[in-house]
Amino acid sequence: MKRLAFALATVLLLGGCGDAEPTPAEAVPALGTQLEAIDGLIADGHWRQARAALRALITSTEEARAAGDLDHADADRVIAAATRMLNALPTPPPAVTPSPTPTRTATPPDQSGGGNQGEEKSGKGNDDGDDDESKGKGKKDD
């Protein structure tokens, strides 16, 4: 992992060493700043943030190329190195989303045709002819 970070740093900071042209980091200082942030994220094992920062680096590089601040060859090298690093980063575990807690629902009505439980509790609509109070289901003696 550190080799890839070093490779990306080399591409950005040294670029075409020996050429009169500035390095990508010299041509576009924001790229050097982004690289430093990426380095720190990787060193600390913040993979998701490192991925986001690498994607932002690629976008910044493409924008710098489009604006003429970075030549095509340097931009291609930076993008290739950042892409290799993206592919080499450990895949973070999927974000844990809590599963919904099942809610307790009312007990379903008796399927044997014995009537609705809600009605039995109230003592209304019970067609069995018995007086619920005589069975001890009615008012409690104080």
Side-chain angles (χ1 to χ4, degrees):
M1 188 62 57
K2 288 188 180 203
R3 264 188 258 168
L4 284 173
F6 180 72
L8 181 59
T10 302
V11 168
L12 276 174
L13 300 176
L14 300 178
C17 193
D19 294 345
E21 293 182 34
T23 66
E26 291 171 341
V28 185
L31 297 179
T33 304
Q34 286 178 294
L35 175 63
E36 288 176 25
I38 291 166
D39 246 359
L41 292 169
I42 289 172
D44 293 339
H46 298 294
W47 310 127
R48 278 189 176 88
Q49 292 168 327
R51 286 179 186 285
L54 282 164
R55 288 185 189 108
L57 176 69
I58 290 169
T59 300
S60 296
T61 303
E62 290 169 340
E63 289 170 353
R65 177 176 45 195
D69 296 333
L70 197 57
D71 73 26
H72 288 278
D74 284 342
D76 289 344
R77 283 195 301 269
V78 171
I79 291 169
T83 302
R84 281 193 306 273
M85 187 175 288
L86 260 173
N87 293 332
L89 286 177
T91 303
V96 177
T97 55
S99 59
T101 306
T103 56
R104 186 175 180 116
T105 57
T107 307
D110 182 14
Q111 298 298 320
S112 64
N116 187 332
Q117 282 184 344
E119 291 176 2
E120 288 179 327
K121 286 183 181 178
S122 69
K124 296 178 183 175
N126 193 351
D127 293 338
D128 60 7
D130 292 331
D131 184 356
D132 284 342
E133 287 186 33
S134 66
K135 293 182 181 178
K137 292 183 183 178
K139 292 184 180 180
K140 188 175 183 180
D141 291 319
D142 291 324

